[in-house]
């Protein structure tokens, strides 16, 4: 019986696509052999094909009746390899400007940020925004349900979804079943690997590395039922933080504040207040109708603050004091004596 659930809210209006989150995660968790190609945190430009390539078309999750949908395992090249670069030649080769940084060996066909900053729409209404993604630590995890070894489990005390490497035999049914394609295969150890929601940090009262290191202050963290937390206010009270692709049926616990956009320009170059630069149909395809409702709430609260009134919602989103974002997980990691196991 699940007792509590940790959750993250990402405000897409603040993400600048700097990838600090991805690097913070890589530095901490996926530097060792077998994990070189893994990016448990990715940041893709939307509209875009994403990581792994075209992941939204790879199936998995559950249909409206709760039945498992067929999926397929992403190929390694669809995630992108851990490329080798000619760093030594460029930095220590003594050839000055005659040599450029390039991938060694076979030319890459895809990678985590392959279509970065391309976006969509027709000029002058072209647009893009960034979409950071981690495992959603779902309430109804398709990965867990698909594993015949019961190697994936959800912790009762905080809802974190983990892989038990001692039980995992590397069958990869989880990779097939996860509709967000957020599980990687570690060929070195023959097991599945995924985001652990920075469990060792969280257990000591420290927010996840991807949240704490984010210079854009995009990520809120905390228990969903903690009424004092920003997560609770954004998800439960104001309902402006919504899951990505709720129709996948897994009940994600990562939520997004959808991106605001200016009005579209008409053929005379004037703003058309009836149309948004980011088409509503596109936003609905990502976040459902709840995403559009969230934007309407945001717009109404912004109007209030412009008129000089206060707004709990806008103050929560601005978070002048960074520690307000982390639902009590604001301990300074440098004060902890970390012991390597
Ligand atoms: Fe966006 Fe923050 Fe990640 Fe930078 S660190 S890409 S601002 S979520
Ligand atoms: Fe499992 Fe995928 Fe949900 Fe993560 S996002 S808990 S890997 S189904
Ligand atoms: Fe990586 Fe931790 Fe963020 Fe998961 S929560 S993506 S493990 S930094």
């Amino acid at each position: 019986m699940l007792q509590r659930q940790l959750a993250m809210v990402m405000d897409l209006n603040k993400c600048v696509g700097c990838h600090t989150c991805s690097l913070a995660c890589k530095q901490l968790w996926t530097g060792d052999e077998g994990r070189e190609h893994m990016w448990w945190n990715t940041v893709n430009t939307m509209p875009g094909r994403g990581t792994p390539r075209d992941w939204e078309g790879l199936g998995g999750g559950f249909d409206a009746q709760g039945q498992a949908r067929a999926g397929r395992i992403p190929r390694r090249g669809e995630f992108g390899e851990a490329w080798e670069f000619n760093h030594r030649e460029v930095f220590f080769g003594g050839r000055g400007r005659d040599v450029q940084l390039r991938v060694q060996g076979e030319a890459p066909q895809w990678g985590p940020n392959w279509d970065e900053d391309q976006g969509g729409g027709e000029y002058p209404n072209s647009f893009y925004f960034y979409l950071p993604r981690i495992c959603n630590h779902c309430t109804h995890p398709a990965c867990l349900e698909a594993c015949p070894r019961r190697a994936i489990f959800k912790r009762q005390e905080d809802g974190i979804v983990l892989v038990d490497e001692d039980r995992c035999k590397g069958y990869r049914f989880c990779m097939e079943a996860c509709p967000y394609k957020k599980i990687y295969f570690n060929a070195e150890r023959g097991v599945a690997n995924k985001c652990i929601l920075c469990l060792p940090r969280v257990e000591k009262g420290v927010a996840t590395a991807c949240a704490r290191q984010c210079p854009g202050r995009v990520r809120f963290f905390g228990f969903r039922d903690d009424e004092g937390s920003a997560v609770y206010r954004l998800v439960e009270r104001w309902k402006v933080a919504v899951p990505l692709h709720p129709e996948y049926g897994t009940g994600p616990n990562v939520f997004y504040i959808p991106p605001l956009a200016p009005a579209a320009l008409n053929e005379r170059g004037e703003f058309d207040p009836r149309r948004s630069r980011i088409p509503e149909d596109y936003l609905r395809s990502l976040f459902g109708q709840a995403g559009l409702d969230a934007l309407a709430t945001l717009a109404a609260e912004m109007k209030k603050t412009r008129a000089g009134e206060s707004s709990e919602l806008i103050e929560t989103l601005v978070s002048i004091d960074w520690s307000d974002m982390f639902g009590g997980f604001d301990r300074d990691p440098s004060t902890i004596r970390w012991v390597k196991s």
Side-chain angles (χ1 to χ4, degrees):
M1 176 82 176
L2 187 66
Q3 290 150 8
R4 295 193 90 185
Q5 178 65 59
L6 283 166
M8 190 181 285
V9 172
M10 304 198 201
D11 184 351
L12 298 186
N13 295 296
K14 291 201 247 166
C15 179
V16 294
C18 65
H19 301 280
T20 309
C21 46
S22 304
L23 290 172
C25 179
K26 162 110 340 248
Q27 188 74 16
L28 256 187
W29 305 119
T30 60
D32 56 333
E33 229 178 310
R35 289 183 174 173
E36 300 94 332
H37 69 296
M38 296 183 195
W39 293 92
W40 292 351
N41 182 106
T42 48
V43 184
N44 286 123
T45 300
M46 301 297 280
R49 298 174 70 182
T51 311
R53 185 174 58 210
D54 300 324
W55 64 273
E56 288 158 298
L58 298 184
F62 304 100
D63 63 20
Q65 283 69 48
Q67 299 299 312
R69 288 195 313 159
R72 84 157 165 83
I73 302 172
R75 287 184 283 275
R76 177 94 172 230
E78 290 171 323
F79 284 109
E81 295 292 340
W83 303 316
E84 291 288 335
F85 288 86
N86 55 335
H87 289 118
R88 187 163 291 280
E89 183 186 22
V90 171
F91 295 118
F92 308 109
R95 290 174 54 198
R97 291 171 188 266
D98 294 338
V99 62
Q100 286 85 38
L101 206 58
R102 61 170 63 90
V103 175
Q104 302 297 278
E106 211 176 303
Q109 300 298 315
W110 195 256
N113 303 307
W114 198 263
D115 50 4
E116 184 160 83
D117 292 356
Q118 286 181 17
E122 292 284 321
Y123 179 82
N125 288 313
S126 22
F127 68 94
Y128 68 72
F129 59 90
Y130 299 110
L131 181 71
R133 296 202 305 121
I134 66 172
C135 162
N136 293 296
H137 296 275
C138 304
T139 298
H140 187 196
C143 56
L144 180 155
E145 216 162 275
C147 178
R149 292 277 309 158
R150 295 188 187 279
I152 300 186
F153 61 102
K154 189 167 174 67
R155 293 189 1 143
Q156 304 304 304
E157 60 271 41
D158 51 25
I160 299 178
V161 175
L162 295 173
V163 178
D164 178 346
E165 289 199 11
D166 292 334
R167 294 197 62 82
C168 178
K169 294 285 182 212
Y171 298 153
R172 284 168 274 182
F173 289 114
C174 53
M175 295 176 75
E176 205 173 288
C178 170
Y180 298 93
K181 301 304 171 206
K182 269 294 167 192
I183 308 191
Y184 288 80
F185 182 60
N186 185 329
E188 203 61 38
R189 298 214 292 269
V191 295
N193 283 165
K194 62 179 280 302
C195 157
I196 56 171
L197 207 63
C198 285
L199 173 70
R201 291 170 65 102
V202 166
E203 285 189 334
K204 290 191 161 32
V206 184
T208 68
C210 54
R212 176 88 196 224
Q213 300 299 318
C214 171
R217 292 195 185 182
V218 168
R219 298 173 185 230
F220 300 82
F221 188 68
F223 282 107
R224 272 186 75 166
D225 64 354
D226 174 4
E227 294 189 16
S229 74
V231 159
Y232 179 88
R233 289 197 291 281
L234 297 170
V235 177
E236 311 290 352
R237 187 182 305 159
W238 285 94
K239 300 191 186 333
V240 290
V242 294
L244 176 66
H245 287 305
E247 75 280 10
Y248 290 171
T250 62
N253 288 299
V254 172
F255 299 86
Y256 295 91
I257 310 285
L260 292 153
L265 293 165
N266 63 23
E267 50 291 345
R268 293 186 302 281
E270 300 153 344
F271 286 118
D272 177 352
R274 292 164 306 173
R275 287 190 301 133
S276 167
R277 178 84 54 91
I278 304 178
E280 286 193 352
D281 284 350
Y282 180 60
L283 289 176
R284 197 180 283 112
S285 75
L286 295 176
F287 304 110
Q289 182 57 37
L292 299 182
D293 297 345
L295 287 175
T297 304
L298 278 175
E301 290 301 303
M302 286 163 68
K303 199 170 166 190
K304 269 171 54 182
T305 55
R306 285 195 188 111
E309 292 177 50
S310 66
S311 162
E312 180 199 61
L313 172 57
I314 302 298
E315 277 166 26
T316 301
L317 289 170
V318 171
S319 292
I320 288 175
D321 181 350
W322 65 269
S323 63
D324 291 343
M325 300 178 68
F326 295 151
F329 292 88
D330 58 357
R331 192 166 165 201
D332 180 348
S334 71
T335 61
I336 297 167
R337 195 170 157 270
W338 300 95
V339 181
K340 203 169 180 184
S341 60

